[in-house]
Structures are given as C-alpha cells and as structure tokens.
C-alpha cells in the first residue's frame, strides 16, 4: 500500500505541476485557480509557491539582478538597488499580479498561500545575495542607508498587494521577511555613524580654539570652530541621509552625549585654568593659554548654541519624530531642552573665570600701595594732594576688556553688567583687605614710636604733656589712601558701578577718611 500511495502521490504531483505551469504560461485564470485549490486541498502550498518562484518570478528577477555582480546591471550602476526595485515593481505588476489577485480572492480558501514572501521576496533576496552581496555591508554607511531605505520602500510596495491588515501581519511574520530584514545590520551601521560623528567632535575639541567666524556685524553666528562642529554633528544625527528611524532613540542619545561632551570640554578647561595646569584632562590646554577675550567667544557661543538647540534643532527633531506618540515627543523635548539648559548653566562659570583673571591682574597693581608706607614714613613729606599713579591701573584690564570689539559685539547688556559688578565687588574686597592691613600696621607702628618718644622724654626729664602739633605719618598715609579710593570710586562710576553700594568700599572709606568726611561718601 505504501508503494502504491507513493506512486499515486508522485503522479498527482507531476500532473498538478504540469497543469499549474501550463496555466501560468497561458495566463489561464481558471486553471490556476483550480490548481491552487488542489494544492491547498493536499496541503502542499510550498510546492505551488516554489513552482511560481522558479517558473515566473526567477526569470524576471534574473533580468534585473544576474547572479554575477560584474558590469552594469539592469541599467543601474554599481550596488544601488533603487533602480533595480523600480524594474522589479514593473515585472510584478506585469507578470505576478494576476496570481496574487487569484490567491487573495475572497472566500476562496487560497489565503494559505504566501506568494509575496515565499516566491517573490525569496527570489529577490537570493538574487541580491548572489549578485550584489555588498549592498548588505554597512562598511559604506551612505550607500548602505540608501539601499536600506529603498528596500523598506519596496517592502511597503509589496504590502500594498495584501488585501487586509491581517495579511500584512502574516507577510511580516514570514521567515523570508524576517531573514531579509536581518541582512540589514543597522546596529553596526549606527556604530559606524557614532564613531564618525562623535569622532569629528572629539577631534575638534582636542585642538586649540579656532575662530570660525568673527563678523562683528552679526552676533548670531557661532564664533569658534569647536562650537560650529558641535552644531554640525547634532544636525548630522538627524539628516535624512544619516538617520535610521528605527534607531532614533540611539541617535537622540548620541545628540545628548555630544552636548554633554562639549559641556565637559568647557567645564574641564575652566577647572584646569583655575588649577593652573591641564593635569590629566586632554583637550583642556586651550583654557590655560586663553586670554579673557577668548572667553567672551565661549560665552557668546554657549548662549547661541542653547538658543539653536532649544529652537531650530528641537523643532527639526520633533518634525522628524512627528509619527511618535505625544508622550514620547514630550520626553524628547524635555531631554533636548535640558541639554540646552546645561550649556547656559556654564555661562556664570565662564564669567567667573574672566573675573578671576581680571582680579589677579588688578591685585598686582594694588600691591603697589605698600609703597605708600615707605613714601611717608619718617620722610617729613607734606600731606598728599593727589591720588597715586597705581590707581589708574587697577581697573584698566576690566575697562579694556569691556571696551574691546569682542565685548561690544558679543556680550549682552545683562552679561556685561554681571561681569563688571562681579569684578568690581571682588577687586574692591581685595583693595579693602590690603589697605586696611596697611593702615593697621601704620597705626601700630605709630603707636609704638609714640611710646618710645614719650619714654625718652621722661628719661630726659622733659614734660610728657608737650604735644606734637605736626601731622603724623599715619595721617599722611591715610590721606593718600583716601585720595586713592576717591579716584578708584570715580573709575568705578565710569564703568557704571555705584561704589556706595559695595560694602567693602564703604568699609574702606570708614578706615581712611578724615573724621569730618566719614559720614558722607562723595568723590
């Protein structure tokens, strides 16, 4: 019985195959329909799908993608698939559509066949693997992405032949479909793009700062090469010829990492400058040799980058991800806005670094006031009538900085005010410490000398009640300091700073002002 059953099965298969091939060749819809019913009845759908693939699909596909990958293929140069898919669509429409329509006839029971996957897509995958295997290699990211997107478009075109959503779901669940998608290793593609984009920013941050744009007439431009590179890298993540939508979460993470890397570059540079050496932080050397004017560029670019990231860049990302849910879009917006805010948060630190540089220079000039003691101690010089030369240099660097082209072009009014007020407060505090210490030492010295003179007078038998009506050296020192801080106060006023609102200035006034001037501060 087994042998008879085998013979009968073979005869049936051969006859059915002959009838099916004949029906396909003559486009006999009735014959094809009945053959498919027979294949479905004997549960041999794979046989029908394989016959259709080898008889109809394969000859068409070989015309477009021969098994050999050499030369010009089907009118398309190299390993691009877009033109190939256009021709394949035409062949499907011309030679395959009639079978697809028959198999999707309503209430026919022929839905068990999957000609789209097991005949058409299977043959296309085989042809690409044999004729153009390089298209699956992410080693050339640009070409890989172009072919990947062309393939997704083609799959969407095939899905258009599915009569229902359930048919689409079935098509996507087929082993051939899954195998086709596995060929496109988007994970490796993203890794290569990550190295390319992140490496570009890293390279820019490891070199000294470079002026990218110095157009004083347009303060909207980024000024440093490093800042321009960051913005270019951020935009690259979301360019059409780079982004893979299924990896959009990875590209968002990369975008935030780029912002964080730039922030670290600035903060590490500021820390190195404060410590006085770059230490073990590569790329922070720029801050050691930077002049205050360079930090004006940093401030401007931080402001500009924050505005661009929270404005145009955010809008572009939201547009690209517009198909996502509102919940996802809200999280994307929040993360990007936080990234932009992190850049703005660095501005006070940069301002403080400028202030420290200005203060250090000012303190060098302030140290000259120690010479006042030598000028008046036991020299019989008359009371001073004008301020000391050093006073004009105390605020010179700050004034030069604020009057410079960079500050004029790139600093906002608020930042200028914050910079000058912070510097004035710090410098005045140092001024008070040095001057108060000098006066204290002078008075102690004066008191000691007075006791020595009185002791000498008593030993000589002279009257100790005799008072010296001459002006003491300490009074002369205090008068010189008084004239100096008046000039200093006028210089503060020229910068827009009200000296009377600085506690250290008021305290210094009380220390050096004559008794009749202590209650009224005026220059």
């Amino acid at each position: 019985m087994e042998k008879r059953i085998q013979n009968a099965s073979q005869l049936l298969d051969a006859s059915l195959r002959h009838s099916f091939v004949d029906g396909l060749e003559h486009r006999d819809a009735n014959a094809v329909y009945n053959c498919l019913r027979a294949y479905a009845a004997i549960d041999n759908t794979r046989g029908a799908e394989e016959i259709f693939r080898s008889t109809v699909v394969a000859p068409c596909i070989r015309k477009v993608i021969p098994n050999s990958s050499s030369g010009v293929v089907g009118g398309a140069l190299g390993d691009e698939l877009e033109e190939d898919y256009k021709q394949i669509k035409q062949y499907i429409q011309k030679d395959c559509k009639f079978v697809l329509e028959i198999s999707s006839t309503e209430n026919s029971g022929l839905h068990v066949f999957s000609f789209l996957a097991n005949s058409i897509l299977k043959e296309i995958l085989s042809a690409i693997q044999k004729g153009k295997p390089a298209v699956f290699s992410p080693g050339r990211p640009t070409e890989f992405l172009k072919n990947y997107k062309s393939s997704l478009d083609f799959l969407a075109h095939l899905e258009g032949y599915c009569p229902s959503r359930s048919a689409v779901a079935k098509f996507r669940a087929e082993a051939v479909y899954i195998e086709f998608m596995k060929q496109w290793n988007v994970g490796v593609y993203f890794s290569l793009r990550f190295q390319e984009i992140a490496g570009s920013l890293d390279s820019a941050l490891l070199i000294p700062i470079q002026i990218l744009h110095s157009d004083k007439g347009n303060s909207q431009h980024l000024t440093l090469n490093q800042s321009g590179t960051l913005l270019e890298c951020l935009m690259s993540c979301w360019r059409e010829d780079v982004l893979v939508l299924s990896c959009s979460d990875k590209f968002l993470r990369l975008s935030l990492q780029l912002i964080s890397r730039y922030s670290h570059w600035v903060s590490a540079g500021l820390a190195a400058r404060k410590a006085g050496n770059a230490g073990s932080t590569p790329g922070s050397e720029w801050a050691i040799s930077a002049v205050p004017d360079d930090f004006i560029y940093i401030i401007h670019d931080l402001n500009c980058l924050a505005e661009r990231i929270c404005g145009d860049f955010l809008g572009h990302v939201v547009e690209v991800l517009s198909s996502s849910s509102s919940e996802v879009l809200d999280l994307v917006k929040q993360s990007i806005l936080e990234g932009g805010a992190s850049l703005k948060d660095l501005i006070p630190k940069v301002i403080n670094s400028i202030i420290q540089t200005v203060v250090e220079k000012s303190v060098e000039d302030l140290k000259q006031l120690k010479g006042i003691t030598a000028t008046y101690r036991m020299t019989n010089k008359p009371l001073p009538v004008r301020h000391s030369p050093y006073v004009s240099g105390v605020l010179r660097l700050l004034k030069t900085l604020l009057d410079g082209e960079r500050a004029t072009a790139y600093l906002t009014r608020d930042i200028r005010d914050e910079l000058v007020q912070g510097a004035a407060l710090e410098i005045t505090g140092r001024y008070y410490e040095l001057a108060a210490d000098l006066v204290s030492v002078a008075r102690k010295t004066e008191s000691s000398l007075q006791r020595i003179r009185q002791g000498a007078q008593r030993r000589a038998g002279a009257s100790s009640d005799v008072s010296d009506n001459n002006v003491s050296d300490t009074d002369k020192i205090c008068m010189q300091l008084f004239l100096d801080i008046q000039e200093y106060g006028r210089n503060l006023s020229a910068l827009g700073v009200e000296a009377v609102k600085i506690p250290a200035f008021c305290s210094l006034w009380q220390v050096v002002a004559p008794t009749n001037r202590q209650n009224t501060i005026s220059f």
Side-chain angles (χ1 to χ4, degrees), residues 39-54:
Y39 273 115
I42 64 173
D43 194 24
N44 187 19
T45 56
R46 293 295 182 190
E49 291 166 352
E50 185 60 28
I51 292 171
F52 179 61
R53 183 178 76 84
S54 59

Side-chain angles (χ1 to χ4, degrees), residues 276-393:
N277 64 81
S280 59
T281 308
S284 60
E285 295 84 358
W286 64 271
I288 303 296
S289 58
V291 297
D293 273 357
D294 293 332
F295 288 102
I296 291 177
Y297 281 151
I298 296 288
I299 291 173
H300 167 76
D301 282 7
L302 287 171
N303 253 327
C304 196
L305 283 170
E307 291 176 5
R308 296 274 190 92
I309 289 170
C310 298
D312 296 342
F313 175 71
L314 174 59
H316 177 66
V317 174
V318 170
E319 183 180 353
V320 171
L321 301 178
S322 57
S323 59
S324 303
S325 66
S326 58
E327 182 181 0
V328 169
L329 288 178
D330 286 342
L331 291 171
V332 170
K333 290 177 185 176
Q334 181 182 348
S335 61
I336 294 176
L337 289 173
E338 286 179 1
S342 70
L343 295 177
K344 275 215 165 183
D345 290 343
L346 289 171
I347 293 177
K349 296 181 180 179
V350 183
I351 293 175
N352 188 58
S353 182
I354 297 176
I355 289 173
Q356 293 307 313
T357 302
V358 172
V359 170
E360 287 171 10
K361 175 63 177 69
S362 300
V363 169
E364 289 299 317
D365 291 313
L366 283 172
K367 288 179 180 178
Q368 296 180 40
L369 63 79
K370 294 181 179 179
I372 296 175
T373 301
T375 301
Y376 293 103
R377 175 66 64 202
M378 302 178 70
T379 58
N380 292 323
K381 284 193 174 184
L383 272 172
V385 294
R386 66 183 310 277
H387 64 82
S388 303
Y390 77 87
V391 180
S392 59

Side-chain angles (χ1 to χ4, degrees), residues 154-267:
F154 178 72
L155 290 178
H157 176 79
L158 291 184
E159 289 175 1
Y161 286 101
C162 295
S164 64
R165 288 187 178 181
S166 59
V168 172
K170 179 186 174 186
F171 174 57
R172 293 178 179 177
E174 292 286 354
V176 175
Y177 185 101
I178 296 171
E179 179 66 20
F180 184 79
M181 293 304 296
K182 282 182 179 179
Q183 302 300 308
W184 304 98
N185 198 330
V186 292
V188 173
Y189 166 80
F190 173 77
S191 297
L192 293 173
R193 287 299 194 190
F194 181 97
Q195 294 171 17
E196 172 191 323
I197 295 172
S200 175
L201 180 62
D202 259 340
S203 298
L205 298 183
L206 288 174
I207 61 176
I209 56 175
Q210 296 177 338
I211 308 302
L212 177 68
H213 200 288
S214 58
D215 181 7
K216 304 299 188 296
N218 191 342
S219 60
Q220 298 304 310
H221 287 123
L222 293 169
T223 58
L224 299 178
N225 174 58
Q226 285 80 357
S227 306
T229 302
L230 170 63
L231 195 58
E232 288 174 5
C233 291
L234 288 174
M235 297 306 294
S236 292
C237 291
W238 301 92
R239 284 207 322 261
E240 187 178 357
D241 60 345
V242 172
L243 176 69
V244 175
L245 202 57
S246 60
C247 293
S248 54
D249 59 323
K250 296 180 179 179
F251 279 99
L252 175 62
R253 186 183 299 113
L254 173 57
S255 300
L256 300 177
Q257 288 171 329
L258 292 171
I259 297 173
S260 177
R261 177 69 182 90
Y262 182 88
S263 298
H264 176 73
W265 173 71
V266 174
S267 58

